[in-house]
Amino acid sequence: MNKYENAIQIMEERCGNDKEVLIALATISLFPNTEGNLRPAVRMVCAYYEEGVFYVSTDAKKNKTLQIEKNNEVSVAGLDWFAFNGTAENLGWVKDEKNAEIRKKFKEVFNWFDEVGDEDNPDSIVLRITLTEGTIIDNGKKYGELQYEIDFINKTVK
């Protein structure tokens, strides 16, 4: 395997394989600080990972969703030693036919989804976070490297 494949394998081992992952999701606040500068807003969310994308169940009226509508550039980080940039997109109502496979996955991966997913509410949406670049650390050097700087778009590692 090449370095990119090794890095993706680490991501799959840590975040993939149909498991729930707790990630920090950072967006840009809609309201500036007292000096007039925009500031980051971060929160922990439950997600599942597949092929360079995190999926999140959320509400269309939550701050994170409103912030993403204005600026879809986001950052994510996890306790599994990764930090990435990406773009987020509201895929719409979780019960929309186009989201059927993702909804099925939510039910399989998130043991809480049936109870609190509020899927009959049209504001219950799927948030897709497509990773663009970032870093994952492999303290055990399982595949030879300590740190992988991943470019998900060009499928390369520095």
Side-chain angles (χ1 to χ4, degrees), residues 33-46:
N33 63 18
T34 56
E35 288 82 36
N37 297 319
L38 294 178
R39 56 188 167 187
V42 67
R43 76 284 290 152
M44 302 304 290
V45 297
C46 297

Side-chain angles (χ1 to χ4, degrees), residues 5-144:
E5 291 168 337
N6 291 342
I8 296 304
Q9 182 64 30
I10 294 167
M11 278 299 293
E12 287 296 327
E13 290 169 5
R14 293 185 186 172
C15 301
N17 304 311
D18 297 335
K19 64 183 161 202
E20 182 175 353
V21 180
L22 187 62
I23 61 173
L25 170 62
T27 57
I28 301 299
S29 176
L30 296 177
F31 305 104
N33 63 18
T34 56
E35 288 82 36
N37 297 319
L38 294 178
R39 56 188 167 187
V42 67
R43 76 284 290 152
M44 302 304 290
V45 297
C46 297
Y48 82 86
Y49 173 84
E50 279 185 337
E51 300 178 7
V53 176
F54 281 106
Y55 293 91
V56 175
S57 169
T58 192
D59 189 290
K61 295 181 180 177
K62 295 279 187 179
N63 280 338
K64 66 179 157 285
T65 311
L66 299 174
Q67 292 160 350
I68 287 165
E69 285 177 10
K70 297 289 184 191
N71 182 345
N72 72 340
E73 295 286 328
V74 298
S75 293
V76 297
L79 297 174
D80 288 311
W81 293 91
F82 62 83
F84 298 113
N85 293 320
T87 56
E89 178 183 3
N90 176 345
L91 296 182
W93 187 30
V94 71
K95 287 182 92 171
D96 189 311
E97 184 61 33
K98 70 179 181 186
N99 291 325
E101 286 300 313
I102 297 169
R103 178 175 173 243
K104 179 181 175 194
K105 188 71 75 151
F106 280 175
K107 290 176 171 284
E108 293 170 4
V109 173
F110 304 139
N111 62 7
W112 48 263
F113 186 76
D114 283 332
E115 185 178 327
V116 298
D118 197 22
E119 61 185 326
D120 289 326
N121 176 352
D123 287 328
S124 178
I125 59 128
V126 175
L127 185 63
R128 176 174 59 199
I129 302 165
T130 303
L131 303 178
T132 55
E133 76 274 340
T135 304
I136 189 165
I137 304 295
D138 181 12
N139 286 325
K141 296 184 179 181
K142 183 174 183 179
Y143 299 105

